Amino acid sequence: MADPRYATLAVTAGLAFFVLVVRDRRGTPPPPALDATIAGSIELVVDDGTSIATRRFGRRILAGRAPTADLRIDDPRVSRLHARIEMRDDGVYVEDLGSRNGTTVNGEPTEGQRLTAGDEIRIGTASIIFRGVGTWK
């Protein structure tokens, strides 16, 4: 029977060969990945007549009276699903969803419009100020 010390010596020699010869052939490590942040949420200041609050939502917001709406507005002039605020590749857009009383941006009726920071969206009696997009935790 062979001496177990020879097996240990063979494994150690193989590991040393790998570390000295094979491992060094990998070259320099690649540069670290870019630390890019992707805007992930929309910030709005919502004044619904009873309170004013700054709220952050995801990439798509449904506004209306429905219990399932992301931005719930308790006003009889607001449709169940009244408007959609949505982040797209080239900006944030507000779109009226065929409501009876319409949606305005800066006092002008809109069916679909790109928003810029500071724009005021009116849905019923609610005033919604678009603050911008960002990555908040």
Side-chain angles (χ1 to χ4, degrees):
M1 179 163 196
D3 192 357
R5 291 181 289 180
Y6 290 125
T8 304
L9 179 64
V11 169
T12 305
L15 183 60
F17 176 77
F18 174 79
V19 168
L20 294 174
V21 177
V22 177
R23 186 168 178 216
D24 290 339
R25 291 186 183 172
R26 291 187 299 181
T28 60
L34 294 175
D35 188 18
T37 57
I38 299 171
S41 60
I42 300 170
E43 184 174 274
L44 304 172
V45 176
V46 181
D47 177 3
D48 61 2
T50 59
S51 65
I52 300 173
T54 299
R55 298 187 54 194
R56 294 180 181 135
F57 297 91
R59 299 178 63 87
R60 177 181 288 168
I61 305 161
L62 288 174
R65 266 191 357 238
T68 58
D70 302 312
L71 176 57
R72 197 156 184 278
I73 302 169
D74 241 354
D75 183 347
R77 290 179 283 175
V78 175
S79 300
R80 291 179 58 73
L81 293 177
H82 194 97
R84 176 180 29 233
I85 303 169
E86 179 176 43
M87 190 183 310
R88 299 180 188 160
D89 291 338
D90 60 338
V92 177
Y93 288 81
V94 62
E95 178 183 359
D96 188 78
L97 299 176
S99 65
R100 236 184 272 167
N101 295 313
T103 303
T104 63
V105 176
N106 298 327
E108 298 293 321
T110 185
E111 290 191 17
Q113 179 177 339
R114 185 175 177 187
L115 296 172
T116 57
D119 281 349
E120 179 186 18
I121 306 162
R122 299 283 298 185
I123 299 175
T125 58
S127 171
I128 302 163
I129 306 294
F130 173 65
R131 296 280 307 264
V133 296
T135 53
W136 295 282
K137 294 182 180 181

PDB file of all heavy atoms in Angstrom, residues 42 44 58-62 83-97 103 105 110-116 119 121 130 133:
ATOM      1  N   ILE A  42     -41.993  58.233  -9.080  1.00  0.00           N
ATOM      2  CA  ILE A  42     -42.499  59.560  -9.400  1.00  0.00           C
ATOM      3  C   ILE A  42     -42.898  60.237  -8.093  1.00  0.00           C
ATOM      4  O   ILE A  42     -43.569  59.634  -7.256  1.00  0.00           O
ATOM      5  CB  ILE A  42     -43.722  59.455 -10.337  1.00  0.00           C
ATOM      6  CG1 ILE A  42     -43.338  58.747 -11.636  1.00  0.00           C
ATOM      7  CG2 ILE A  42     -44.325  60.822 -10.608  1.00  0.00           C
ATOM      8  CD1 ILE A  42     -44.527  58.376 -12.507  1.00  0.00           C
ATOM      9  N   LEU A  44     -44.949  63.312  -6.279  1.00  0.00           N
ATOM     10  CA  LEU A  44     -46.043  64.264  -6.470  1.00  0.00           C
ATOM     11  C   LEU A  44     -46.393  64.922  -5.139  1.00  0.00           C
ATOM     12  O   LEU A  44     -46.287  64.293  -4.081  1.00  0.00           O
ATOM     13  CB  LEU A  44     -47.303  63.543  -6.982  1.00  0.00           C
ATOM     14  CG  LEU A  44     -47.202  62.725  -8.255  1.00  0.00           C
ATOM     15  CD1 LEU A  44     -48.497  61.950  -8.482  1.00  0.00           C
ATOM     16  CD2 LEU A  44     -46.915  63.622  -9.437  1.00  0.00           C
ATOM     17  N   GLY A  58     -44.712  54.402  -7.866  1.00  0.00           N
ATOM     18  CA  GLY A  58     -43.904  53.640  -8.809  1.00  0.00           C
ATOM     19  C   GLY A  58     -43.875  54.294 -10.176  1.00  0.00           C
ATOM     20  O   GLY A  58     -44.053  55.495 -10.324  1.00  0.00           O
ATOM     21  N   ARG A  59     -43.682  53.510 -11.195  1.00  0.00           N
ATOM     22  CA  ARG A  59     -43.536  54.024 -12.557  1.00  0.00           C
ATOM     23  C   ARG A  59     -44.871  54.312 -13.231  1.00  0.00           C
ATOM     24  O   ARG A  59     -44.918  54.960 -14.263  1.00  0.00           O
ATOM     25  CB  ARG A  59     -42.729  53.035 -13.392  1.00  0.00           C
ATOM     26  CG  ARG A  59     -41.330  52.831 -12.829  1.00  0.00           C
ATOM     27  CD  ARG A  59     -40.543  51.828 -13.608  1.00  0.00           C
ATOM     28  NE  ARG A  59     -40.308  52.245 -14.971  1.00  0.00           N
ATOM     29  CZ  ARG A  59     -39.289  53.001 -15.375  1.00  0.00           C
ATOM     30  NH1 ARG A  59     -38.432  53.441 -14.491  1.00  0.00           N
ATOM     31  NH2 ARG A  59     -39.136  53.312 -16.640  1.00  0.00           N
ATOM     32  N   ARG A  60     -45.962  53.810 -12.672  1.00  0.00           N
ATOM     33  CA  ARG A  60     -47.292  54.054 -13.254  1.00  0.00           C
ATOM     34  C   ARG A  60     -48.285  54.297 -12.133  1.00  0.00           C
ATOM     35  O   ARG A  60     -48.343  53.541 -11.169  1.00  0.00           O
ATOM     36  CB  ARG A  60     -47.734  52.851 -14.080  1.00  0.00           C
ATOM     37  CG  ARG A  60     -49.132  53.028 -14.648  1.00  0.00           C
ATOM     38  CD  ARG A  60     -49.554  51.843 -15.441  1.00  0.00           C
ATOM     39  NE  ARG A  60     -48.799  51.842 -16.687  1.00  0.00           N
ATOM     40  CZ  ARG A  60     -48.754  50.828 -17.517  1.00  0.00           C
ATOM     41  NH1 ARG A  60     -49.401  49.736 -17.247  1.00  0.00           N
ATOM     42  NH2 ARG A  60     -48.044  50.900 -18.631  1.00  0.00           N
ATOM     43  N   ILE A  61     -49.084  55.372 -12.282  1.00  0.00           N
ATOM     44  CA  ILE A  61     -50.052  55.751 -11.254  1.00  0.00           C
ATOM     45  C   ILE A  61     -51.418  55.857 -11.900  1.00  0.00           C
ATOM     46  O   ILE A  61     -51.579  56.552 -12.906  1.00  0.00           O
ATOM     47  CB  ILE A  61     -49.696  57.131 -10.648  1.00  0.00           C
ATOM     48  CG1 ILE A  61     -48.269  57.135 -10.130  1.00  0.00           C
ATOM     49  CG2 ILE A  61     -50.683  57.517  -9.566  1.00  0.00           C
ATOM     50  CD1 ILE A  61     -47.723  58.523  -9.949  1.00  0.00           C
ATOM     51  N   LEU A  62     -52.406  55.182 -11.330  1.00  0.00           N
ATOM     52  CA  LEU A  62     -53.792  55.351 -11.748  1.00  0.00           C
ATOM     53  C   LEU A  62     -54.476  56.227 -10.707  1.00  0.00           C
ATOM     54  O   LEU A  62     -54.431  55.939  -9.511  1.00  0.00           O
ATOM     55  CB  LEU A  62     -54.504  54.005 -11.852  1.00  0.00           C
ATOM     56  CG  LEU A  62     -54.083  53.130 -13.028  1.00  0.00           C
ATOM     57  CD1 LEU A  62     -54.747  51.765 -12.924  1.00  0.00           C
ATOM     58  CD2 LEU A  62     -54.421  53.790 -14.339  1.00  0.00           C
ATOM     59  N   ALA A  83     -57.376  59.219 -14.577  1.00  0.00           N
ATOM     60  CA  ALA A  83     -56.169  59.566 -15.332  1.00  0.00           C
ATOM     61  C   ALA A  83     -55.038  58.611 -14.973  1.00  0.00           C
ATOM     62  O   ALA A  83     -55.065  57.952 -13.934  1.00  0.00           O
ATOM     63  CB  ALA A  83     -55.747  60.999 -15.035  1.00  0.00           C
ATOM     64  N   ARG A  84     -54.042  58.583 -15.864  1.00  0.00           N
ATOM     65  CA  ARG A  84     -52.850  57.765 -15.633  1.00  0.00           C
ATOM     66  C   ARG A  84     -51.631  58.671 -15.746  1.00  0.00           C
ATOM     67  O   ARG A  84     -51.508  59.456 -16.695  1.00  0.00           O
ATOM     68  CB  ARG A  84     -52.762  56.643 -16.655  1.00  0.00           C
ATOM     69  CG  ARG A  84     -51.511  55.827 -16.546  1.00  0.00           C
ATOM     70  CD  ARG A  84     -51.365  54.698 -17.552  1.00  0.00           C
ATOM     71  NE  ARG A  84     -52.038  54.938 -18.810  1.00  0.00           N
ATOM     72  CZ  ARG A  84     -52.901  54.089 -19.362  1.00  0.00           C
ATOM     73  NH1 ARG A  84     -53.203  52.969 -18.776  1.00  0.00           N
ATOM     74  NH2 ARG A  84     -53.452  54.368 -20.513  1.00  0.00           N
ATOM     75  N   ILE A  85     -50.734  58.567 -14.787  1.00  0.00           N
ATOM     76  CA  ILE A  85     -49.444  59.243 -14.844  1.00  0.00           C
ATOM     77  C   ILE A  85     -48.418  58.131 -14.980  1.00  0.00           C
ATOM     78  O   ILE A  85     -48.365  57.225 -14.145  1.00  0.00           O
ATOM     79  CB  ILE A  85     -49.202  60.094 -13.579  1.00  0.00           C
ATOM     80  CG1 ILE A  85     -50.329  61.109 -13.404  1.00  0.00           C
ATOM     81  CG2 ILE A  85     -47.846  60.782 -13.648  1.00  0.00           C
ATOM     82  CD1 ILE A  85     -50.329  61.824 -12.071  1.00  0.00           C
ATOM     83  N   GLU A  86     -47.608  58.217 -16.029  1.00  0.00           N
ATOM     84  CA  GLU A  86     -46.772  57.075 -16.376  1.00  0.00           C
ATOM     85  C   GLU A  86     -45.373  57.524 -16.790  1.00  0.00           C
ATOM     86  O   GLU A  86     -45.214  58.478 -17.545  1.00  0.00           O
ATOM     87  CB  GLU A  86     -47.447  56.325 -17.510  1.00  0.00           C
ATOM     88  CG  GLU A  86     -46.719  55.131 -18.017  1.00  0.00           C
ATOM     89  CD  GLU A  86     -47.529  54.409 -19.087  1.00  0.00           C
ATOM     90  OE1 GLU A  86     -48.120  55.069 -19.958  1.00  0.00           O
ATOM     91  OE2 GLU A  86     -47.549  53.186 -19.033  1.00  0.00           O
ATOM     92  N   MET A  87     -44.368  56.804 -16.296  1.00  0.00           N
ATOM     93  CA  MET A  87     -42.995  57.062 -16.677  1.00  0.00           C
ATOM     94  C   MET A  87     -42.683  56.229 -17.921  1.00  0.00           C
ATOM     95  O   MET A  87     -42.889  55.016 -17.940  1.00  0.00           O
ATOM     96  CB  MET A  87     -42.053  56.667 -15.531  1.00  0.00           C
ATOM     97  CG  MET A  87     -40.628  57.105 -15.733  1.00  0.00           C
ATOM     98  SD  MET A  87     -39.518  56.556 -14.416  1.00  0.00           S
ATOM     99  CE  MET A  87     -40.367  57.058 -12.957  1.00  0.00           C
ATOM    100  N   ARG A  88     -42.202  56.905 -18.957  1.00  0.00           N
ATOM    101  CA  ARG A  88     -41.791  56.232 -20.188  1.00  0.00           C
ATOM    102  C   ARG A  88     -40.307  56.496 -20.408  1.00  0.00           C
ATOM    103  O   ARG A  88     -39.674  57.182 -19.619  1.00  0.00           O
ATOM    104  CB  ARG A  88     -42.618  56.758 -21.367  1.00  0.00           C
ATOM    105  CG  ARG A  88     -44.107  56.503 -21.191  1.00  0.00           C
ATOM    106  CD  ARG A  88     -44.900  57.020 -22.362  1.00  0.00           C
ATOM    107  NE  ARG A  88     -46.329  56.932 -22.094  1.00  0.00           N
ATOM    108  CZ  ARG A  88     -47.242  57.617 -22.728  1.00  0.00           C
ATOM    109  NH1 ARG A  88     -46.898  58.466 -23.692  1.00  0.00           N
ATOM    110  NH2 ARG A  88     -48.513  57.487 -22.426  1.00  0.00           N
ATOM    111  N   ASP A  89     -39.774  55.971 -21.504  1.00  0.00           N
ATOM    112  CA  ASP A  89     -38.341  56.136 -21.776  1.00  0.00           C
ATOM    113  C   ASP A  89     -37.931  57.597 -21.898  1.00  0.00           C
ATOM    114  O   ASP A  89     -36.835  57.975 -21.517  1.00  0.00           O
ATOM    115  CB  ASP A  89     -37.949  55.385 -23.048  1.00  0.00           C
ATOM    116  CG  ASP A  89     -38.014  53.882 -22.867  1.00  0.00           C
ATOM    117  OD1 ASP A  89     -37.939  53.422 -21.711  1.00  0.00           O
ATOM    118  OD2 ASP A  89     -38.134  53.168 -23.878  1.00  0.00           O
ATOM    119  N   ASP A  90     -38.801  58.430 -22.449  1.00  0.00           N
ATOM    120  CA  ASP A  90     -38.429  59.820 -22.717  1.00  0.00           C
ATOM    121  C   ASP A  90     -39.064  60.819 -21.755  1.00  0.00           C
ATOM    122  O   ASP A  90     -39.027  62.016 -22.007  1.00  0.00           O
ATOM    123  CB  ASP A  90     -38.765  60.191 -24.160  1.00  0.00           C
ATOM    124  CG  ASP A  90     -40.242  60.042 -24.469  1.00  0.00           C
ATOM    125  OD1 ASP A  90     -40.928  59.287 -23.759  1.00  0.00           O
ATOM    126  OD2 ASP A  90     -40.717  60.682 -25.426  1.00  0.00           O
ATOM    127  N   GLY A  91     -39.653  60.381 -20.659  1.00  0.00           N
ATOM    128  CA  GLY A  91     -40.220  61.308 -19.685  1.00  0.00           C
ATOM    129  C   GLY A  91     -41.440  60.751 -18.986  1.00  0.00           C
ATOM    130  O   GLY A  91     -41.790  59.582 -19.138  1.00  0.00           O
ATOM    131  N   VAL A  92     -42.099  61.634 -18.233  1.00  0.00           N
ATOM    132  CA  VAL A  92     -43.312  61.266 -17.498  1.00  0.00           C
ATOM    133  C   VAL A  92     -44.490  61.926 -18.194  1.00  0.00           C
ATOM    134  O   VAL A  92     -44.443  63.111 -18.514  1.00  0.00           O
ATOM    135  CB  VAL A  92     -43.225  61.710 -16.027  1.00  0.00           C
ATOM    136  CG1 VAL A  92     -44.511  61.392 -15.289  1.00  0.00           C
ATOM    137  CG2 VAL A  92     -42.044  61.041 -15.345  1.00  0.00           C
ATOM    138  N   TYR A  93     -45.541  61.161 -18.420  1.00  0.00           N
ATOM    139  CA  TYR A  93     -46.711  61.632 -19.153  1.00  0.00           C
ATOM    140  C   TYR A  93     -47.961  61.482 -18.302  1.00  0.00           C
ATOM    141  O   TYR A  93     -48.061  60.559 -17.501  1.00  0.00           O
ATOM    142  CB  TYR A  93     -46.895  60.826 -20.447  1.00  0.00           C
ATOM    143  CG  TYR A  93     -45.867  61.134 -21.497  1.00  0.00           C
ATOM    144  CD1 TYR A  93     -44.612  60.565 -21.445  1.00  0.00           C
ATOM    145  CD2 TYR A  93     -46.151  62.007 -22.533  1.00  0.00           C
ATOM    146  CE1 TYR A  93     -43.651  60.856 -22.401  1.00  0.00           C
ATOM    147  CE2 TYR A  93     -45.209  62.300 -23.500  1.00  0.00           C
ATOM    148  CZ  TYR A  93     -43.963  61.722 -23.431  1.00  0.00           C
ATOM    149  OH  TYR A  93     -43.016  62.024 -24.370  1.00  0.00           O
ATOM    150  N   VAL A  94     -48.905  62.404 -18.501  1.00  0.00           N
ATOM    151  CA  VAL A  94     -50.224  62.287 -17.890  1.00  0.00           C
ATOM    152  C   VAL A  94     -51.214  62.079 -19.033  1.00  0.00           C
ATOM    153  O   VAL A  94     -51.099  62.703 -20.089  1.00  0.00           O
ATOM    154  CB  VAL A  94     -50.594  63.520 -17.041  1.00  0.00           C
ATOM    155  CG1 VAL A  94     -50.653  64.781 -17.863  1.00  0.00           C
ATOM    156  CG2 VAL A  94     -51.918  63.306 -16.321  1.00  0.00           C
ATOM    157  N   GLU A  95     -52.153  61.173 -18.799  1.00  0.00           N
ATOM    158  CA  GLU A  95     -53.127  60.836 -19.840  1.00  0.00           C
ATOM    159  C   GLU A  95     -54.506  60.706 -19.201  1.00  0.00           C
ATOM    160  O   GLU A  95     -54.678  59.986 -18.219  1.00  0.00           O
ATOM    161  CB  GLU A  95     -52.710  59.514 -20.493  1.00  0.00           C
ATOM    162  CG  GLU A  95     -53.639  59.011 -21.542  1.00  0.00           C
ATOM    163  CD  GLU A  95     -53.187  57.655 -22.078  1.00  0.00           C
ATOM    164  OE1 GLU A  95     -52.158  57.129 -21.640  1.00  0.00           O
ATOM    165  OE2 GLU A  95     -53.908  57.123 -22.922  1.00  0.00           O
ATOM    166  N   ASP A  96     -55.473  61.424 -19.758  1.00  0.00           N
ATOM    167  CA  ASP A  96     -56.849  61.306 -19.307  1.00  0.00           C
ATOM    168  C   ASP A  96     -57.407  59.990 -19.847  1.00  0.00           C
ATOM    169  O   ASP A  96     -57.158  59.622 -20.989  1.00  0.00           O
ATOM    170  CB  ASP A  96     -57.686  62.484 -19.824  1.00  0.00           C
ATOM    171  CG  ASP A  96     -59.070  62.488 -19.222  1.00  0.00           C
ATOM    172  OD1 ASP A  96     -59.191  62.917 -18.068  1.00  0.00           O
ATOM    173  OD2 ASP A  96     -60.010  62.052 -19.911  1.00  0.00           O
ATOM    174  N   LEU A  97     -58.142  59.261 -19.028  1.00  0.00           N
ATOM    175  CA  LEU A  97     -58.667  57.947 -19.417  1.00  0.00           C
ATOM    176  C   LEU A  97     -60.124  58.018 -19.851  1.00  0.00           C
ATOM    177  O   LEU A  97     -60.906  57.113 -19.578  1.00  0.00           O
ATOM    178  CB  LEU A  97     -58.486  56.958 -18.265  1.00  0.00           C
ATOM    179  CG  LEU A  97     -57.047  56.697 -17.836  1.00  0.00           C
ATOM    180  CD1 LEU A  97     -57.001  55.786 -16.622  1.00  0.00           C
ATOM    181  CD2 LEU A  97     -56.244  56.093 -18.988  1.00  0.00           C
ATOM    182  N   THR A 103     -59.100  66.216 -17.508  1.00  0.00           N
ATOM    183  CA  THR A 103     -57.891  66.453 -16.723  1.00  0.00           C
ATOM    184  C   THR A 103     -57.184  67.658 -17.318  1.00  0.00           C
ATOM    185  O   THR A 103     -57.112  67.786 -18.537  1.00  0.00           O
ATOM    186  CB  THR A 103     -56.960  65.221 -16.796  1.00  0.00           C
ATOM    187  OG1 THR A 103     -57.671  64.073 -16.337  1.00  0.00           O
ATOM    188  CG2 THR A 103     -55.718  65.406 -15.955  1.00  0.00           C
ATOM    189  N   VAL A 105     -53.634  70.254 -17.281  1.00  0.00           N
ATOM    190  CA  VAL A 105     -52.238  70.460 -16.899  1.00  0.00           C
ATOM    191  C   VAL A 105     -51.963  71.939 -17.064  1.00  0.00           C
ATOM    192  O   VAL A 105     -52.109  72.489 -18.162  1.00  0.00           O
ATOM    193  CB  VAL A 105     -51.285  69.616 -17.765  1.00  0.00           C
ATOM    194  CG1 VAL A 105     -49.835  69.931 -17.420  1.00  0.00           C
ATOM    195  CG2 VAL A 105     -51.566  68.136 -17.587  1.00  0.00           C
ATOM    196  N   THR A 110     -56.082  68.394 -21.264  1.00  0.00           N
ATOM    197  CA  THR A 110     -55.115  67.502 -21.892  1.00  0.00           C
ATOM    198  C   THR A 110     -55.703  66.105 -22.041  1.00  0.00           C
ATOM    199  O   THR A 110     -56.525  65.678 -21.246  1.00  0.00           O
ATOM    200  CB  THR A 110     -53.811  67.429 -21.075  1.00  0.00           C
ATOM    201  OG1 THR A 110     -52.873  66.639 -21.804  1.00  0.00           O
ATOM    202  CG2 THR A 110     -54.019  66.814 -19.717  1.00  0.00           C
ATOM    203  N   GLU A 111     -55.273  65.441 -23.086  1.00  0.00           N
ATOM    204  CA  GLU A 111     -55.593  64.017 -23.237  1.00  0.00           C
ATOM    205  C   GLU A 111     -54.344  63.186 -23.056  1.00  0.00           C
ATOM    206  O   GLU A 111     -54.408  62.019 -22.740  1.00  0.00           O
ATOM    207  CB  GLU A 111     -56.240  63.775 -24.599  1.00  0.00           C
ATOM    208  CG  GLU A 111     -57.632  64.373 -24.672  1.00  0.00           C
ATOM    209  CD  GLU A 111     -58.378  63.918 -25.896  1.00  0.00           C
ATOM    210  OE1 GLU A 111     -57.975  62.925 -26.505  1.00  0.00           O
ATOM    211  OE2 GLU A 111     -59.390  64.558 -26.214  1.00  0.00           O
ATOM    212  N   GLY A 112     -53.205  63.786 -23.284  1.00  0.00           N
ATOM    213  CA  GLY A 112     -51.916  63.145 -23.088  1.00  0.00           C
ATOM    214  C   GLY A 112     -50.826  64.177 -23.258  1.00  0.00           C
ATOM    215  O   GLY A 112     -50.756  64.843 -24.280  1.00  0.00           O
ATOM    216  N   GLN A 113     -49.990  64.350 -22.241  1.00  0.00           N
ATOM    217  CA  GLN A 113     -48.981  65.398 -22.284  1.00  0.00           C
ATOM    218  C   GLN A 113     -47.782  64.998 -21.452  1.00  0.00           C
ATOM    219  O   GLN A 113     -47.914  64.383 -20.398  1.00  0.00           O
ATOM    220  CB  GLN A 113     -49.567  66.699 -21.756  1.00  0.00           C
ATOM    221  CG  GLN A 113     -48.595  67.851 -21.728  1.00  0.00           C
ATOM    222  CD  GLN A 113     -49.261  69.135 -21.258  1.00  0.00           C
ATOM    223  OE1 GLN A 113     -50.483  69.270 -21.318  1.00  0.00           O
ATOM    224  NE2 GLN A 113     -48.468  70.064 -20.789  1.00  0.00           N
ATOM    225  N   ARG A 114     -46.599  65.389 -21.914  1.00  0.00           N
ATOM    226  CA  ARG A 114     -45.373  65.162 -21.157  1.00  0.00           C
ATOM    227  C   ARG A 114     -45.281  66.211 -20.044  1.00  0.00           C
ATOM    228  O   ARG A 114     -45.549  67.383 -20.257  1.00  0.00           O
ATOM    229  CB  ARG A 114     -44.167  65.276 -22.075  1.00  0.00           C
ATOM    230  CG  ARG A 114     -42.884  64.933 -21.369  1.00  0.00           C
ATOM    231  CD  ARG A 114     -41.732  64.944 -22.324  1.00  0.00           C
ATOM    232  NE  ARG A 114     -40.515  64.686 -21.582  1.00  0.00           N
ATOM    233  CZ  ARG A 114     -39.326  64.757 -22.078  1.00  0.00           C
ATOM    234  NH1 ARG A 114     -39.170  65.068 -23.346  1.00  0.00           N
ATOM    235  NH2 ARG A 114     -38.277  64.522 -21.344  1.00  0.00           N
ATOM    236  N   LEU A 115     -44.882  65.757 -18.864  1.00  0.00           N
ATOM    237  CA  LEU A 115     -44.798  66.641 -17.708  1.00  0.00           C
ATOM    238  C   LEU A 115     -43.366  67.121 -17.486  1.00  0.00           C
ATOM    239  O   LEU A 115     -42.408  66.392 -17.766  1.00  0.00           O
ATOM    240  CB  LEU A 115     -45.267  65.917 -16.450  1.00  0.00           C
ATOM    241  CG  LEU A 115     -46.724  65.472 -16.412  1.00  0.00           C
ATOM    242  CD1 LEU A 115     -46.982  64.610 -15.187  1.00  0.00           C
ATOM    243  CD2 LEU A 115     -47.648  66.659 -16.445  1.00  0.00           C
ATOM    244  N   THR A 116     -43.249  68.325 -16.971  1.00  0.00           N
ATOM    245  CA  THR A 116     -41.970  68.841 -16.501  1.00  0.00           C
ATOM    246  C   THR A 116     -42.145  69.193 -15.028  1.00  0.00           C
ATOM    247  O   THR A 116     -43.263  69.412 -14.555  1.00  0.00           O
ATOM    248  CB  THR A 116     -41.519  70.087 -17.290  1.00  0.00           C
ATOM    249  OG1 THR A 116     -42.529  71.088 -17.200  1.00  0.00           O
ATOM    250  CG2 THR A 116     -41.282  69.754 -18.753  1.00  0.00           C
ATOM    251  N   ASP A 119     -45.188  71.212 -12.984  1.00  0.00           N
ATOM    252  CA  ASP A 119     -46.491  71.230 -13.646  1.00  0.00           C
ATOM    253  C   ASP A 119     -47.592  70.869 -12.653  1.00  0.00           C
ATOM    254  O   ASP A 119     -47.407  70.013 -11.786  1.00  0.00           O
ATOM    255  CB  ASP A 119     -46.530  70.229 -14.809  1.00  0.00           C
ATOM    256  CG  ASP A 119     -45.836  70.751 -16.049  1.00  0.00           C
ATOM    257  OD1 ASP A 119     -45.514  71.959 -16.095  1.00  0.00           O
ATOM    258  OD2 ASP A 119     -45.620  69.959 -16.975  1.00  0.00           O
ATOM    259  N   ILE A 121     -51.323  69.368 -12.186  1.00  0.00           N
ATOM    260  CA  ILE A 121     -52.377  68.530 -12.766  1.00  0.00           C
ATOM    261  C   ILE A 121     -53.616  68.735 -11.911  1.00  0.00           C
ATOM    262  O   ILE A 121     -53.551  68.625 -10.682  1.00  0.00           O
ATOM    263  CB  ILE A 121     -51.965  67.046 -12.758  1.00  0.00           C
ATOM    264  CG1 ILE A 121     -50.614  66.857 -13.444  1.00  0.00           C
ATOM    265  CG2 ILE A 121     -53.042  66.182 -13.399  1.00  0.00           C
ATOM    266  CD1 ILE A 121     -49.947  65.546 -13.106  1.00  0.00           C
ATOM    267  N   PHE A 130     -46.379  67.923 -10.010  1.00  0.00           N
ATOM    268  CA  PHE A 130     -45.360  66.959 -10.389  1.00  0.00           C
ATOM    269  C   PHE A 130     -43.991  67.497  -9.959  1.00  0.00           C
ATOM    270  O   PHE A 130     -43.573  68.555 -10.388  1.00  0.00           O
ATOM    271  CB  PHE A 130     -45.406  66.723 -11.899  1.00  0.00           C
ATOM    272  CG  PHE A 130     -44.283  65.874 -12.424  1.00  0.00           C
ATOM    273  CD1 PHE A 130     -44.161  64.554 -12.047  1.00  0.00           C
ATOM    274  CD2 PHE A 130     -43.330  66.401 -13.279  1.00  0.00           C
ATOM    275  CE1 PHE A 130     -43.122  63.770 -12.515  1.00  0.00           C
ATOM    276  CE2 PHE A 130     -42.302  65.635 -13.769  1.00  0.00           C
ATOM    277  CZ  PHE A 130     -42.197  64.311 -13.378  1.00  0.00           C
ATOM    278  N   VAL A 133     -38.732  62.791 -10.875  1.00  0.00           N
ATOM    279  CA  VAL A 133     -38.511  61.362 -10.697  1.00  0.00           C
ATOM    280  C   VAL A 133     -37.197  61.171  -9.960  1.00  0.00           C
ATOM    281  O   VAL A 133     -36.327  62.032  -9.962  1.00  0.00           O
ATOM    282  CB  VAL A 133     -38.486  60.600 -12.047  1.00  0.00           C
ATOM    283  CG1 VAL A 133     -39.809  60.677 -12.739  1.00  0.00           C
ATOM    284  CG2 VAL A 133     -37.383  61.136 -12.935  1.00  0.00           C
TER     285      VAL A 133
END
